[in-house]
Each structure stands twice: as C-alpha cells, then as structure tokens.
Amino acid sequence: MGDRCVATSKPPASADTLNIRQSTLSRCLRDLEHEVGVELFERTNGGTRPTLVGREFLVAAQRIVEDIDSTLRRLRAHGRGESGSLKIGVCSSFSAGNLHATLLDYHRQVNDVDIHTIEGVKDRLLGQLSAGAIDVAIATACCPSWSDRLLPLWSERVIVALPEQHPLSDHPVIRWHELSDDRILLTQRGIDPELEKVLVAKFNCPGRPRILYQDVGFDRLLSLTAAGYGDLLVLESAAGLSCAGVIYRELHDENGPARLHFAAYWRESNDNPTLKPFLKLLRDRYPDLSASVVPE
C-alpha cells in the first residue's frame, strides 16, 4: 500500500490523534478502499466506523503489522549479534578453566545464540577457519603460518595425571626427568599433539618416556591411567575432571612449570554478527593481552 495510512484493528483514529489533517485522513481511507476494491468504512453523521469486511481487513492488517514488527526485532537482534549461531573450534577441554568460564559468560550475555563447538588439532581447526567452516578457533598461540587475525588469551600449566599407586604419587611437584622410565598415554587429536611437542622438548632421545597412542576419549584415558597403563599429560583446565584412582601433579623443570599459551584466531572477512560480541568478551576478560592483537 506504499506510503498510504496504515489501519489498525481499532476504529479509525481521529486526524488529531494521527497528527494529520482530516482531509488527508479521509483521502487515505478512500484510497485504501479504492485499492482493496471494497467499502471498508461506513460514513455517518456520527463518524466513520468499519464495515463487516472492514473489520476483517483490520484484523488481517494488524496480524501483518505484528509479523513485520516481530521480523524486524529478530533481524535487528541478529544484526547486533544477539541471535544466530556461532561455530567455535577448540583443541582443549572446556570442562573447567578459562574457556569454560568464557563460554558461560557469553551464554549469560547472549543466550539466544546457538553455540556449536568443534574439537580438533590446531592445524585442522585453522584449515576449517580458512575455509569458513567455523567462525573462530581457540588454540595454542604459536602459528607462524597464520596471517589473519589473532588475539592472545590465557596460558595453562601442563600437568600429569598419575595412578594413585605411582611411586611419585607422594611428590607435590614432579620433575620431567622423573618420568623418563614411564609410559605416556596420548591421542593424536585435540591438544595432545601440542602436549607431545612439549614432552619431546623436555627430553633427549633415547631417555624419553615411551608414548602409547590411544584412540579413545578423555574419560577412557583417565580409566587407563587409573588402571596403571600409563601417565597422562593434560592441561590444568582438564584437572577439573576427577576419576577414582587418579591424582594430578604439577610438572616442573629448572624454570618452573611448563605452559601452553592460547589465542583466538579468526578471519577479518568473517561477517557473522555473533562473532563481534564474542571477541569483545574475550578482550574484556583478557585486557592485558588484548593490546598484543595483530594489527589490521
């Protein structure tokens, strides 16, 4: 109906209420009837009121207006990043720690956004990021091949999960070299390839622990450790998962605990509105590191 007056389900308002001239309102109503092709309003000396067809038209018009308002609210919320979906690639546990707390905060702020988490090794996640399959990746920070956007985040200590009966179980802190005769359980997914790099860097062959690769989830790895099949290298965020028969100990060398530093990776060209508030949350939570972001 273009820019003509829009009717509502209530009786036609007076020209004063609409802040227009009476002649303009009358013309709008006549034009509306002409376009619809039926008499919508009955005009009497007592005023103008809708006909039977007019009342049906007003109900339909009100429904259309409400649908448009609902659609506009939904689109505006989506444009502000308050609804929609966000795909986050992760390579470490988020059962506890900084990533867990970040996801909780994000859900409190924008609980209409659907979060999809994808676990994988860092190289695979960055490949998915480049292909547009995910919006942001949270992974370890060292990646010289990444040339797009990066935001430094937190660091986590590398710790070891041991069976309770392990000879070193009474040590509050364990030195790396004390594990040289042990077996280490690792997978080839998630954060484990990064932990393996740390392990290799701490030992000189052939005095390195024997690595036993597994193809099971973290809970099964803990069960294997509890049964004495080998030690398990994890990050401190994963220590929030308890398992009967397993204890956690810090790993130190002469410089103290080993740490892995994390960062958020994303593409500058990503136009998903939900990404912006997520990145703002990361910058707000880690302001001391945000200044290190790679320049645009």
Side-chain angles (χ1 to χ4, degrees):
M1 291 184 291
D3 58 354
R4 295 185 176 93
C5 298
V6 178
T8 68
S9 60
K10 298 178 180 180
S14 68
D16 290 340
T17 302
L18 297 174
N19 197 27
I20 61 174
R21 294 179 181 178
Q22 180 62 47
S23 58
T24 301
L25 177 58
S26 297
R27 187 178 69 253
C28 282
L29 296 180
R30 286 195 301 271
D31 290 346
L32 179 61
E33 289 176 322
H34 177 74
E35 188 165 333
V36 174
V38 67
E39 186 178 16
L40 299 175
F41 303 101
E42 180 183 357
R43 295 162 180 82
T44 67
N45 292 334
T48 302
R49 60 188 178 207
T51 62
L52 179 63
V53 175
R55 288 195 292 272
E56 183 179 347
F57 174 84
L58 291 172
V59 170
Q62 181 66 25
R63 187 163 54 246
I64 292 171
V65 170
E66 290 172 353
D67 287 344
I68 291 174
D69 286 345
S70 176
T71 300
L72 289 176
R73 285 194 299 270
R74 186 170 64 254
L75 292 175
R76 287 167 184 150
H78 185 73
R80 293 191 299 265
E82 297 171 358
S83 65
S85 64
L86 182 68
K87 295 181 180 178
I88 304 175
V90 297
C91 68
S92 66
S93 170
F94 47 88
S95 61
N98 288 297
L99 182 54
H100 175 79
T102 298
L103 292 178
L104 279 179
D105 277 358
Y106 182 66
H107 181 65
R108 292 190 192 104
Q109 292 182 18
V110 284
N111 58 18
D112 284 337
V113 173
D114 295 327
I115 293 293
H116 303 276
T117 54
I118 297 93
E119 184 181 14
V121 297
K122 180 170 67 175
D123 290 344
R124 177 170 170 265
L125 291 177
L126 295 183
Q128 290 178 306
L129 195 59
S130 297
I134 60 177
D135 296 300
V136 60
I138 307 296
T140 51
C142 182
C143 188
S145 63
W146 181 254
S147 59
D148 216 320
R149 305 291 286 147
L150 180 148
L151 177 68
L153 299 174
W154 59 81
S155 68
E156 293 191 37
R157 293 169 295 166
V158 179
I159 62 178
V160 62
L162 302 171
E164 283 184 340
Q165 69 273 20
H166 195 283
L168 300 174
S169 61
D170 60 343
H171 292 206
V173 172
I174 294 175
R175 304 291 176 177
W176 284 90
H177 67 86
E178 294 180 296
L179 300 178
S180 58
D181 296 327
D182 285 19
R183 291 171 295 185
I184 303 295
L185 305 177
L186 286 173
T187 69
Q188 292 181 312
R189 56 190 178 187
I191 196 65
D192 280 18
E194 306 299 318
L195 293 173
E196 184 175 354
K197 292 177 185 177
V198 175
L199 177 67
V200 170
K202 297 297 180 181
F203 290 90
N204 293 318
C205 291
R208 192 166 67 215
R210 185 154 56 105
I211 297 175
L212 301 180
Y213 295 104
Q214 309 295 317
D215 191 19
V216 296
F218 185 65
D219 57 337
R220 301 294 177 87
L221 288 173
L222 285 174
S223 297
L224 288 172
T225 295
Y229 282 93
D231 309 337
L232 188 60
L233 294 183
V234 299
L235 293 178
E236 58 184 288
S237 59
L241 291 175
S242 61
C243 178
V246 173
I247 59 172
Y248 296 98
R249 293 292 183 265
E250 282 193 29
L251 278 168
H252 281 215
D253 58 18
E254 62 275 7
N255 298 316
R259 287 183 172 273
L260 285 182
H261 297 272
F262 284 79
Y265 299 82
W266 74 97
R267 294 176 301 121
E268 181 67 28
S269 59
N270 188 311
D271 60 356
N272 185 348
T274 62
L275 178 59
K276 186 175 180 180
F278 183 73
L279 294 174
K280 181 181 184 304
L281 173 63
L282 290 176
R283 290 190 177 98
D284 289 344
R285 285 184 61 87
Y286 309 100
D288 294 338
L289 296 171
S290 298
S292 303
V293 66
V294 175
E296 297 184 17

